[in-house]
Amino acid sequence: MLHIYCPYCEELREEEEFSYSGEAHIARPTDPEALTDAEWGDYVFFRKNPRGLHHEMWNHAAGCRRYFNATRDTQSYEIHETYKMGEKPSVTSQGAAQ
Amino acid sequence: MTSLHSPLAHVELPEAHAHAGVTLREDKFRGHLNLRGNPQDEAFTSAAEKVLGVALPTAPNSAVENDAVRVYWLCPNEWLLLVAEGAEGQTEADLRAAMEGQHIAVTDLSSGQTLINLSGENLPEVMMKSTVYDCHESNFPVGKAVQTTFAKAGATIYKCADGSYDLVIRRSFADYIFLWLKDACAEYGLAVQ
């Protein structure tokens, strides 16, 4: 079982309390009307599927019920950090992590 | 006036055990209110304090109480208020009056939740079986309140001053949780008050 640090409860909690909610930091297009069908399809359906670091949303479903972000390694399952909504990750594939 | 029925009114009590290691008591018909608002807003926090008599707790996993109310921190902008039976309507009205014009929400959850109290010398063992949260006193001191799972159902667990636990559970899960406890406590003996 994973121990996940909830940035709102400020505690490590059991994985059982959480649910995974997909890729983080997907900005909604400001002008959806101007998009082509392909661009809209990309926004709605297509997600990164990296081998390695992945920024993703989790929901503390059985706890505070807030969404937060996590940086997880999809190979090792290691969670490098969790951070509140609206914050930027400090561990990215461009630096820091290595 | 409609009559109230406890969600555990129908349960079959366990057979009497010579030694009751765990005691279950339902604190039924308490008033449960959910309060939401911005804790950075001085007008909101002072209005809440004026009505409730205690300041809203802002530390995660904490709770405060006085004679009339227990206030649980649920998340940075959400609290659970437990008041006496029948007091929820007046408390809700007082909160709404004090916070008029503010961006807040007060929701009466009294009929959707119930409170059960667990005590007894074998309580630590039963908690270990039932919840994924670490209930050792170093991690779960008196006065702490956590929202976690109990027998895989959601519960808000509070450690009382006498070492017992208050569990706020959903009404619809009360029957299931009672059956779970009956089974989990079979080896220690369960007494129901």
Side-chain angles (χ1 to χ4, degrees):
Chain A
M1 297 287 279
L2 298 176
H3 262 152
I4 301 173
Y5 185 85
C6 172
Y8 296 100
C9 293
E10 299 178 6
E11 274 191 343
L12 285 168
R13 296 292 189 92
E14 276 286 333
E15 183 186 352
E16 182 181 305
E17 295 181 13
F18 297 87
S19 70
Y20 176 73
S21 299
E23 188 184 333
H25 306 300
I26 298 173
R28 185 180 169 85
T30 48
D31 185 10
E33 300 286 330
L35 297 188
T36 64
D37 285 353
E39 287 168 330
W40 183 251
D42 278 352
Y43 163 69
V44 173
F45 298 112
F46 286 88
R47 297 293 177 258
K48 293 190 190 111
N49 185 20
R51 184 167 184 250
L53 285 187
H54 187 226
H55 302 292
E56 55 199 18
M57 292 190 293
W58 286 75
N59 183 4
H60 194 183
C64 59
R65 304 186 302 288
R66 293 310 94 177
Y67 282 88
F68 62 91
N69 297 316
T71 305
R72 183 175 62 93
D73 191 310
T74 57
Q75 271 182 286
S76 66
Y77 263 87
E78 182 183 355
I79 294 175
H80 291 277
E81 60 172 344
T82 57
Y83 49 101
K84 293 177 181 175
M85 279 293 156
E87 294 178 356
K88 294 264 181 268
S90 63
V91 182
T92 61
S93 52
Q94 278 81 44
Q98 313 318 320
Chain B
M1 178 160 173
T2 47
S3 62
L4 297 172
H5 289 273
S6 155
L8 293 175
H10 64 290
V11 298
E12 277 183 48
L13 297 181
E15 286 177 32
H17 205 280
H19 169 83
V22 178
T23 302
L24 182 153
R25 176 175 57 81
E26 190 197 1
D27 198 354
K28 49 187 180 246
F29 311 142
R30 289 280 292 266
H32 298 239
L33 292 168
N34 181 286
L35 172 66
R36 301 201 63 175
N38 178 5
Q40 268 86 48
D41 182 355
E42 163 68 25
F44 167 71
T45 52
S46 61
E49 187 171 353
K50 202 169 122 232
V51 172
L52 302 172
V54 288
L56 294 174
T58 51
N61 309 309
S62 64
V64 295
E65 64 180 337
N66 62 14
D67 294 340
V69 64
R70 182 187 293 160
V71 186
Y72 291 79
W73 177 95
L74 295 183
C75 83
N77 58 12
E78 188 172 359
W79 295 267
L80 171 66
L81 318 177
L82 284 188
V83 295
E85 177 183 354
E88 62 273 15
Q90 191 58 48
T91 309
E92 180 182 347
D94 291 346
L95 286 168
R96 288 192 184 283
M99 296 168 183
E100 196 172 355
Q102 294 184 26
H103 184 57
I104 57 118
V106 188
T107 317
D108 185 352
L109 308 172
S110 310
S111 52
Q113 299 185 159
T114 192
L115 182 71
I116 57 173
N117 177 270
L118 296 175
S119 58
E121 61 178 294
N122 293 111
L123 187 57
E125 288 86 351
V126 172
M127 294 303 281
M128 277 194 274
K129 287 191 210 186
S130 305
T131 175
V132 292
Y133 195 75
D134 177 6
C135 290
H136 189 271
E137 62 185 71
S138 61
N139 189 56
F140 205 154
V142 168
K144 189 170 183 176
V146 295
Q147 297 170 90
T148 181
T149 54
F150 187 91
K152 295 195 183 284
T156 305
I157 308 177
Y158 174 79
K159 178 95 172 262
C160 306
D162 62 2
S164 66
Y165 290 96
D166 272 348
L167 273 66
V168 176
I169 54 171
R170 283 182 195 277
R171 183 186 182 94
S172 51
F173 279 103
D175 178 64
Y176 158 73
I177 285 178
F178 178 76
L179 290 173
W180 168 282
L181 282 169
K182 207 166 142 183
D183 185 53
C185 298
E187 59 185 299
Y188 312 115
L190 174 67
V192 179
Q193 287 182 351

